[in-house]
Amino acid sequence: RARRTATMTTLEDVVEGKDYNFPTEEQATLKYWKDTDAFREQLKRSEGRPEYVFYDGPPFATGLPHYGHILAGTIKDVVTRFACSTGHHVTRRFGWDCHGLPVEYEIDKKLEIKGKDDVMKMGIDVYNEECRSIVMRYSKEWEKTVTRTGRWIDFDNDYKTLDPTFMESVWWVFKTLWEKDLVYKGFKVMPYSTACNTPLSNFEAGLDYRDVSDPAVTVAFPIVGCELGASLVAWTTTPWTLPSNLALCVNPTFSYVYVKNPDGAVYVVAEARLSALPGATKKAKGGKPGALADGWAVVKKVVGEELRDVKYTPIFDFFAEEMRSTAFRVCVDSYVTDDSGTGIVHQAPAYGEDDNRVCLAHGIVVKGGALPDPVDVNGCFTDPVPAPFAGLHVKEADKDLIAAIKASGRLVDNARIVHSYPFCWRSHTPLIYKAVGSFFVKVESIKEKLLANNAKTRWVPSYVQEKRFHNWLEGAHDWSISRNRYWGTPIPVWVSEDGEEVRVIGSIAELEEATGAKVTDIHRHFIDHLTIPDSRGPEFPPLRRVEDVFDCWFESGSMPYAQQHYPFENKERFEKEIFPANFIAEGLDQTRGWFYTLMVLSTALFDKPAFTNLVCNGLVLAGDGKKMSKSLKNYPDPNEILDKYGADALRLYLINSPVVRAEPLRFKEEGVFSVLKDLFLPWYNAYRFLVQNVRRVESETGVKFNPRAPGQEPVNVLDRWIASSTSSLVTFVRTEMEGYRLYTVVPRLVSFIGQLTNVYVRYNRSRLKGKNGDDDTRRALAALYDVLLVLCKTMAPFTPFFAENMYQNLKRCLPDGGDSEPSVHFTSFPQPKADALDERVEKSVARMQAVIETGRVIRERNNKPLKTPLRRLVVAHDDADFLSDLQGELRAYVVEELNVLEMETCLDPLKYATIKAEPNFAALGKRLGKAMGAVGKAVKGMSVADVQLFQRTGAFAVGDVTLGPEDILVKKEFALPEGVTAEEMDAATGEGEVMVIMDIVVDQGLLDSGSAREFVNRLQKLRKSSGLQATDAVEVFFEVKAAGEKDAAEGMMRMLESEKAYLRESLGCDPKPIAAMAGDARVVATGECSLSTGAEFVATLAALKI
């Protein structure tokens, strides 16, 4: 039937929980924010407050946002919304990383560019403009997804690394470092991407390690002039470096052996690595090295130092003439280990950092001199390496090189090895190590300052700062910041032809003055042609710019300064107000990326960290634990999840996961659904219950509901409890958010929502529906209203949509607008009400819940359903205040929820239990070692008095060992009173050491009482199914069905008589036989019902005659 409408209502009606569509409602909220320009209005309203400084790490817009971006964006949004609600102004500018390999790689694929020659033929100007055309390819998709997730951030006032103002500040950063002597041009072996034709920094090389199968060859190098005809044997997983071999290296302290094989060949290897020679040793047993195989013999032993400068014959003669005077001899260095290989390492100084260092130290090559490097920028062999290797990519040439070595008789073994190998993070191709020229920042010279500045920051979780990041800083090398590429900020260094004069430019104005040209864009194709006159005179050729551009990590590390165009604009404000940042957040991978570059540059420039607080999140993986892959389709599309469950559910799912503690998360769609089911729906239902009953009260009384009306202060114990719990929640959330521990908030919220719905609303349902009169109902509604309003404001940073939706309705109750703001996001974070905090009532209600839960457990294990009343319940505990509360204001709730007739309390739990102590082996085992046996025996032998004393003091001494609360487990065991059997009584101990004892014997009177509850339940269901409201009064009639069991029917009639008072109170009338119903009565509903006793009846509800 049609629902009755009120003549006046404050709150708008809301649909049932099953009909509430979260995504649809969120879209309505998005429209409201857009129509009211809510984000900018929030910024405007908060102007003049202290600035809370947030830096947004710039993503590339050449790809679409994924769960990792949504996660980081959610963390950023939660923290900045909270900061705004706690009295700050928070500027939130989105940033875009527009330069570098990610963009160039896309263009290289599009235009099928294979290398530098292709770019030169096309022209850098054409190439760069192609890059410019795609940098914002997916910017609108980014904006759409970011906005849909509820994140408030400014896209209109964004910053882009390609803006001339940004690039100019990057120039200033570089020149400042140059002037501080923190930059140099060097030649180092570095990770090198052959696909992208550029070196990578060490931290970039660490971004993508994969397990790969590579050749592992063992090669012989005949010793020149050796009487034994011996060959030094080296092992390598990079055969392509052998054409450039210039030396071999041994450990000076290791023992090396000359070992002869059955064919008479003599090989030199480390004694500890004899097993590396195929067939040289017998199978090892018990972890010990195997003995020499039959036919093998050691003919000579030497220490590594004795092999120094021993000459050998190179495998390939490509550099034999050029390097004969210094190369092809043995070096010694302690970096050689004996855990793999042969204990002899082949040296190719152009392709290994240690190789380069060792060869320089031994004079094989000289600094600044020739360095054999027959590999071009594309990773292909070139002169003097001949066919068939010339033109092959080094990795592809391995097979042919191994064949050539075998043909020369120098191949001792050819195997394969699976090992972890670095790949280019952008092209996903294997890296090589190669000597290249680069500009470097002297990170090693400021290492102590970096460590000191790291200590000044707070990271969540802290272990990432204290271990991972600290260790990375400890081992940091000088940072390569230049790339031999095209689309990036050009390095502003102009050099004379002879290299004698170097000019570093720090601004556009300086460049214009030096060149006499007007400059509007400082990308390569606008400035590469500009020259600067040599200061030595016109007879010297002019200075020209070096070809390099900045690594894009240098640009993102410069963003605190460049986004403000510092120091050319905003200088005073920057230095006083907006540096360093209060907060940044990104993924764990940025430990060696953005977090690192921010710290290096801020330390080098200002000797302070660029941020004070950092939240580091882990990696979001597919449900199977693998990396999310578009090709594998092993994860649901983020937009589908948003459309299906809404952004709030996704936000809370991510925040309430290990990923916010920098651990990996296996993304599961059902996890998002669980958040909706377990948190949002109960929360919504509590809100809906309030709305229904406010509308009912207003409809019945004609008096508007005013939650701020005087005389509605909480009096009822549960009103006081929920008010205190709410204040405790607010205090907790504020404390945790100030500590940036987002992951602790959601579990506490889930617990609170459970208490609100399962305790407060459930236990007070009849009060809220008007059982105790209008005054008490309004008190209860005011208490529930305050909780929900405070919850909206507290959770607004976390669930911006749901909080807004609820707030828009709730604020209608506030008199004359009251303290309401147009949006929940304009309100201040709630302050805990000091007068509402009541630790005793919170503790007592928590223990009351433990009593009820424990009582339910006892009923269940004894097969005593809740509908069957039990005679007596005893609660035993040593806290007199709690027992007093339980027998006082809380008594009615326990009696009703557990359906018992009597409740007693006992201050001495030992009246119903024995206690004993057990050692906590998990806590004590490691600490005590062999003493554990004696201590454990003493703990188990503790008397009751000993245990009680331990419970009071928290300490127990066994000889010299003092045990604390975590070392001893005190266990209570139920002891039946004398003369009572287990069939008559049962007990259990719940949380907070609350012991519950129940009489479980059921007599006929108790059975009748249970049947009466069932009878009421059946009629309430009939009322609900017929659409009756709580205020709709009806008469109840019944007709016992003849087909039912005779005894059951008689039992039902007996029950109706004996439980008449209860039935009248519960139903609002006396149930009557159907024969008593008037002939003209208007029947509202009829239904067939049955009781668990077997009785069957037809119930009829008839409208009251007016």
Side-chain angles (χ1 to χ4, degrees):
R1 66 185 182 87
R3 179 174 293 183
R4 185 172 59 210
T5 56
T7 54
M8 59 80 62
T9 53
T10 305
L11 296 178
E12 293 180 349
D13 201 5
V14 295
V15 299
E16 285 191 45
K18 65 182 179 62
D19 298 321
Y20 185 88
N21 188 294
F22 285 88
T24 301
E25 294 296 332
E26 289 182 357
Q27 291 289 355
T29 300
L30 283 172
K31 184 177 185 303
Y32 170 73
W33 288 343
K34 183 177 181 180
D35 292 345
T36 58
D37 203 9
F39 175 40
R40 281 175 179 75
E41 181 64 21
Q42 184 201 60
L43 292 173
K44 182 179 176 182
R45 286 167 176 258
S46 59
E47 283 177 2
R49 297 179 188 172
E51 188 71 28
Y52 179 88
V53 184
F54 160 68
Y55 295 159
D56 193 29
F60 290 100
T62 49
L64 292 169
H66 52 66
Y67 287 107
H69 296 121
I70 292 173
L71 166 65
T74 298
I75 293 170
K76 296 169 188 178
D77 191 57
V78 169
V79 172
T80 52
R81 283 183 185 272
F82 175 77
C84 195
S85 72
T86 51
H88 298 89
H89 180 269
V90 189
T91 300
R92 284 154 275 182
R93 295 177 66 194
F94 204 82
W96 300 103
D97 212 339
C98 304
H99 287 149
L101 290 180
V103 182
E104 292 192 356
Y105 186 66
E106 293 296 318
I107 294 301
D108 288 352
K109 284 196 298 181
K110 174 186 173 183
L111 303 180
E112 297 184 353
I113 289 173
K114 305 300 183 187
K116 183 176 181 179
D117 290 345
D118 291 342
V119 177
M120 293 299 106
K121 287 175 187 174
M122 173 188 295
I124 293 177
D125 55 342
V126 176
Y127 183 85
N128 274 359
E129 291 305 323
E130 284 280 352
C131 289
R132 192 196 300 267
S133 72
I134 70 159
V135 292
M136 302 301 287
R137 177 193 290 169
Y138 296 118
S139 60
K140 290 302 176 186
E141 285 83 352
W142 270 86
E143 185 172 352
K144 179 183 175 183
T145 300
V146 169
T147 302
R148 179 63 189 88
T149 62
R151 185 179 176 193
W152 279 6
I153 192 160
D154 195 343
F155 282 96
D156 295 333
N157 186 33
D158 57 4
Y159 72 86
K160 302 180 182 73
T161 59
L162 59 68
D163 291 337
T165 53
F166 192 101
M167 297 168 70
E168 184 176 31
S169 291
V170 173
W171 276 12
W172 170 83
V173 170
F174 179 79
K175 183 170 183 178
T176 304
L177 297 182
W178 183 277
E179 290 172 344
K180 287 172 172 273
D181 193 27
L182 290 174
V183 176
Y184 67 93
K185 181 73 181 285
F187 201 70
K188 285 192 175 182
V189 175
M190 296 180 61
Y192 185 88
S193 171
T194 59
C196 297
N197 304 155
T198 189
L200 302 181
S201 61
N202 284 324
F203 63 80
E204 285 179 293
L207 293 176
D208 187 8
Y209 264 84
R210 306 183 189 185
D211 287 338
V212 296
S213 174
D214 271 332
V217 297
T218 308
V219 182
F221 295 82
I223 298 173
V224 175
C226 178
E227 294 178 357
L228 297 171
S231 294
L232 297 154
V233 178
W235 174 84
T236 181
T237 59
T238 54
W240 65 267
T241 61
L242 288 170
S244 305
N245 167 266
L246 297 187
L248 298 173
C249 189
V250 299
N251 189 300
T253 62
F254 287 177
S255 172
Y256 287 83
V257 293
Y258 289 65
V259 61
K260 182 185 288 186
N261 74 3
D263 295 330
V266 178
Y267 298 128
V268 181
V269 296
E271 185 173 17
R273 297 302 306 162
L274 271 166
S275 59
L277 293 173
T281 58
K282 295 177 181 177
K283 192 172 182 180
K285 293 183 180 179
K288 295 180 180 179
L292 272 179
D294 295 341
W296 288 74
V298 172
V299 295
K300 184 179 179 182
K301 275 191 184 183
V302 295
V303 176
E305 180 61 40
E306 296 178 56
L307 294 172
R308 182 192 290 268
D309 290 331
V310 166
K311 289 186 173 292
Y312 65 87
T313 304
I315 295 177
F316 298 103
D317 59 3
F318 308 144
F319 298 99
E321 289 304 317
E322 180 185 345
M323 302 300 300
R324 188 174 301 281
S325 61
T326 59
F328 314 122
R329 53 191 173 89
V330 176
C331 306
V332 295
D333 192 275
S334 59
Y335 95 91
V336 178
T337 64
D338 60 3
D339 57 359
S340 63
T342 63
I344 300 176
V345 182
H346 119 78
Q347 307 290 291
Y351 308 121
E353 194 171 356
D354 282 315
D355 304 41
N356 191 274
R357 174 182 58 79
V358 169
C359 288
L360 281 170
H362 288 76
I364 305 292
V365 294
V366 295
K367 199 165 187 176
L371 192 64
D373 177 16
V375 177
D376 67 16
V377 293
N378 297 311
C380 297
F381 278 119
T382 185
D383 289 339
V385 175
F389 317 117
L392 286 179
H393 187 277
V394 292
K395 285 286 187 179
E396 295 173 0
D398 277 343
K399 186 177 179 182
D400 290 337
L401 288 167
I402 294 169
I405 295 168
K406 183 177 182 180
S408 69
R410 305 277 286 277
L411 187 65
V412 177
D413 190 30
N414 181 19
R416 296 196 71 83
I417 184 174
V418 175
H419 61 156
S420 186
Y421 194 84
F423 276 62
C424 174
W425 63 280
R426 177 47 52 185
S427 65
H428 309 299
T429 55
L431 297 176
I432 65 172
Y433 281 79
K434 178 173 164 57
V436 291
S438 179
F439 284 91
F440 291 86
V441 174
K442 295 181 180 178
V443 175
E444 293 169 37
S445 68
I446 59 170
K447 187 179 296 183
E448 294 307 314
K449 290 181 179 180
L450 286 170
L451 292 167
N453 283 331
N454 181 41
K456 295 174 186 176
T457 62
R458 169 170 54 184
W459 292 46
V460 176
S462 58
Y463 75 84
V464 180
Q465 171 192 18
E466 295 161 0
K467 294 181 179 178
R468 187 184 180 107
F469 194 62
H470 176 87
N471 293 343
W472 180 251
L473 293 178
E474 280 272 19
H477 297 293
D478 289 351
W479 170 23
S480 166
I481 60 170
S482 58
R483 298 291 177 264
N484 187 21
R485 298 298 300 178
Y486 318 99
W487 178 242
T489 300
I491 288 186
V493 175
W494 271 255
V495 183
S496 63
E497 214 171 79
D498 58 9
E500 290 299 313
E501 184 170 349
V502 177
R503 176 88 181 264
V504 177
I505 302 296
S507 69
I508 291 174
E510 185 181 353
L511 180 61
E512 289 180 334
E513 183 182 349
T515 62
K518 180 66 179 173
V519 178
T520 56
D521 191 316
I522 54 176
H523 284 95
R524 279 193 63 174
H525 53 299
F526 289 94
I527 65 168
D528 275 5
H529 65 284
L530 298 179
T531 59
I532 299 175
D534 194 309
S535 63
R536 294 173 292 179
E539 66 273 20
F540 290 92
L543 280 61
R544 295 188 177 276
R545 198 190 70 80
V546 297
E547 288 190 348
D548 307 66
V549 297
F550 283 109
D551 169 20
C552 59
W553 292 101
F554 189 85
E555 293 179 316
S556 58
S558 301
M559 67 76 57
Y561 331 105
Q563 71 165 342
Q564 298 294 333
H565 196 205
Y566 178 87
F568 309 103
E569 296 180 70
N570 307 305
K571 188 173 189 297
E572 184 177 352
R573 180 168 180 262
F574 175 86
E575 292 170 358
K576 287 184 178 180
E577 296 180 27
I578 53 178
F579 181 81
N582 295 99
F583 164 70
I584 64 170
E586 295 295 342
L588 187 63
D589 55 335
Q590 297 301 327
T591 306
R592 298 178 178 183
W594 191 50
F595 300 156
Y596 175 70
T597 62
L598 282 175
M599 184 67 79
V600 168
L601 292 182
S602 66
T603 298
L605 294 169
F606 300 105
D607 192 19
K608 62 172 68 173
F611 53 86
T612 52
N613 297 286
L614 184 155
V615 175
C616 182
N617 62 262
L619 190 64
V620 183
L621 303 173
D624 57 7
K626 296 177 181 177
K627 191 174 180 179
M628 288 187 170
S629 166
K630 288 181 183 177
S631 59
L632 294 177
K633 295 182 180 178
N634 61 350
Y635 67 95
D637 183 283
N639 290 310
E640 291 178 8
I641 294 294
L642 291 168
D643 291 341
K644 194 171 182 180
Y645 305 104
D648 281 342
L650 178 58
R651 286 167 67 110
L652 282 199
Y653 170 69
L654 292 171
I655 289 173
N656 190 37
S657 72
V659 80
V660 187
R661 299 190 296 274
E663 298 169 16
L665 163 68
R666 293 187 176 194
F667 187 90
K668 295 183 183 296
E669 183 176 340
E670 54 266 35
V672 184
F673 174 70
S674 293
V675 171
L676 212 62
K677 177 172 61 74
D678 299 336
L679 192 149
F680 284 101
L681 279 175
W683 185 2
Y684 177 80
N685 286 332
Y687 160 66
R688 179 172 179 266
F689 192 72
L690 170 81
V691 172
Q692 285 179 310
N693 285 286
V694 166
R695 289 171 62 85
R696 177 188 58 77
V697 166
E698 291 180 336
S699 174
E700 289 176 358
T701 65
V703 178
K704 182 179 177 181
F705 171 64
N706 178 5
R708 300 286 184 262
Q712 291 183 167
E713 297 76 18
V715 175
N716 175 279
V717 61
L718 288 189
D719 290 352
R720 301 197 318 272
W721 164 73
I722 199 66
S724 180
S725 296
T726 303
S727 285
S728 295
L729 175 73
V730 168
T731 302
F732 175 83
V733 173
R734 181 183 285 269
T735 300
E736 294 305 286
M737 285 300 296
E738 287 173 350
Y740 295 86
R741 293 180 293 274
L742 283 68
Y743 52 84
T744 63
V745 173
V746 181
R748 179 67 177 263
L749 175 67
V750 172
S751 172
F752 180 83
I753 295 293
Q755 292 175 332
L756 176 65
T757 56
N758 298 326
V759 179
Y760 185 78
V761 174
R762 175 189 167 101
Y763 295 177
N764 278 322
R765 188 170 289 272
S766 58
R767 284 182 64 219
L768 290 159
K769 286 186 173 183
K771 176 182 177 182
N772 299 335
D774 185 62
D775 181 63
D776 183 62
T777 297
R778 288 179 182 267
R779 281 183 188 272
L781 289 173
L784 181 55
Y785 176 91
D786 280 342
V787 171
L788 291 170
L789 185 63
V790 169
L791 200 53
C792 275
K793 296 178 181 180
T794 303
M795 292 308 299
F798 296 86
T799 58
F801 293 101
F802 193 59
E804 184 75 277
N805 184 292
M806 200 179 294
Y807 175 81
Q808 290 300 322
N809 202 15
L810 292 177
K811 74 185 179 76
R812 293 161 57 90
C813 285
L814 297 172
D816 303 320
D819 60 357
S820 70
E821 295 276 6
S823 167
V824 70
H825 301 291
F826 301 166
T827 64
S828 296
F829 192 84
Q831 293 291 340
K833 295 180 180 178
D835 58 345
L837 287 168
D838 188 332
E839 187 177 347
R840 174 172 167 174
V841 79
E842 286 195 51
K843 186 179 290 186
S844 289
V845 171
R847 286 173 172 169
M848 177 195 76
Q849 291 172 249
V851 169
I852 292 169
E853 290 300 321
T854 307
R856 288 172 180 161
V857 169
I858 294 172
R859 275 182 166 278
E860 190 173 331
R861 73 184 179 202
N862 288 281
N863 198 25
K864 306 295 181 188
L866 269 172
K867 63 177 177 286
T868 303
L870 295 178
R871 184 140 329 261
R872 188 174 69 118
L873 164 79
V874 180
V875 179
H877 201 275
D878 57 10
D879 185 337
D881 286 343
F882 163 56
L883 296 184
S884 174
D885 293 342
L886 201 63
Q887 281 288 29
E889 297 175 291
L890 299 176
R891 178 185 178 85
Y893 298 110
V894 178
V895 169
E896 181 177 354
E897 285 298 312
L898 288 179
N899 195 12
V900 293
L901 303 185
E902 304 167 20
M903 184 177 76
E904 300 173 9
T905 56
C906 175
L907 195 57
D908 180 15
L910 293 186
K911 185 176 178 181
Y912 292 95
T914 58
I915 56 172
K916 64 178 183 179
E918 293 280 352
N920 184 353
F921 290 101
L924 292 171
K926 291 182 180 178
R927 203 170 93 210
L928 297 181
K930 294 180 180 179
M932 183 67 226
V935 172
K937 185 177 180 181
V939 170
K940 289 181 179 179
M942 291 171 69
S943 66
V944 171
D946 289 336
V947 176
Q948 290 177 315
L949 180 63
F950 170 73
Q951 287 180 310
R952 289 195 300 274
T953 63
F956 179 70
V958 181
D960 296 334
V961 179
T962 300
L963 305 180
E966 70 282 356
D967 300 324
I968 297 178
L969 305 174
V970 177
K971 296 184 177 180
K972 285 181 186 174
E973 292 186 358
F974 173 53
L976 280 166
E978 192 173 339
V980 179
T981 67
E983 288 72 30
E984 298 172 307
M985 182 179 285
D986 195 6
T989 301
E991 287 187 27
E993 293 300 302
V994 174
M995 189 169 192
V996 178
I997 305 99
M998 298 182 81
D999 288 339
I1000 53 176
V1001 176
V1002 178
D1003 58 26
Q1004 188 59 54
L1006 293 174
L1007 290 172
D1008 285 348
S1009 182
S1011 293
R1013 288 172 68 101
E1014 273 192 271
F1015 186 85
V1016 169
N1017 174 264
R1018 304 298 185 268
L1019 289 164
Q1020 286 173 337
K1021 286 183 176 179
L1022 185 59
R1023 284 180 63 98
K1024 185 174 182 180
S1025 66
S1026 64
L1028 288 170
Q1029 301 299 299
T1031 53
D1032 296 332
V1034 294
E1035 289 186 287
V1036 177
F1037 299 94
F1038 64 89
E1039 179 183 8
V1040 178
K1041 295 177 71 172
E1045 297 178 23
K1046 183 180 178 183
D1047 290 346
E1050 291 175 353
M1052 176 176 159
M1053 297 304 294
R1054 182 183 64 246
M1055 175 272 291
L1056 291 171
E1057 183 62 32
S1058 64
E1059 297 293 327
K1060 186 179 291 186
Y1062 166 74
L1063 294 172
R1064 183 184 301 116
E1065 180 185 6
S1066 300
L1067 300 174
C1069 65
D1070 290 323
K1072 299 173 185 177
I1074 191 69
M1077 187 174 72
D1080 60 348
R1082 185 167 65 85
V1083 174
V1084 176
T1086 300
E1088 293 189 0
C1089 307
S1090 65
L1091 303 179
S1092 59
T1093 60
E1096 298 179 1
F1097 64 98
V1098 176
T1100 301
L1101 306 180
L1104 286 175
K1105 288 188 177 181
I1106 300 175

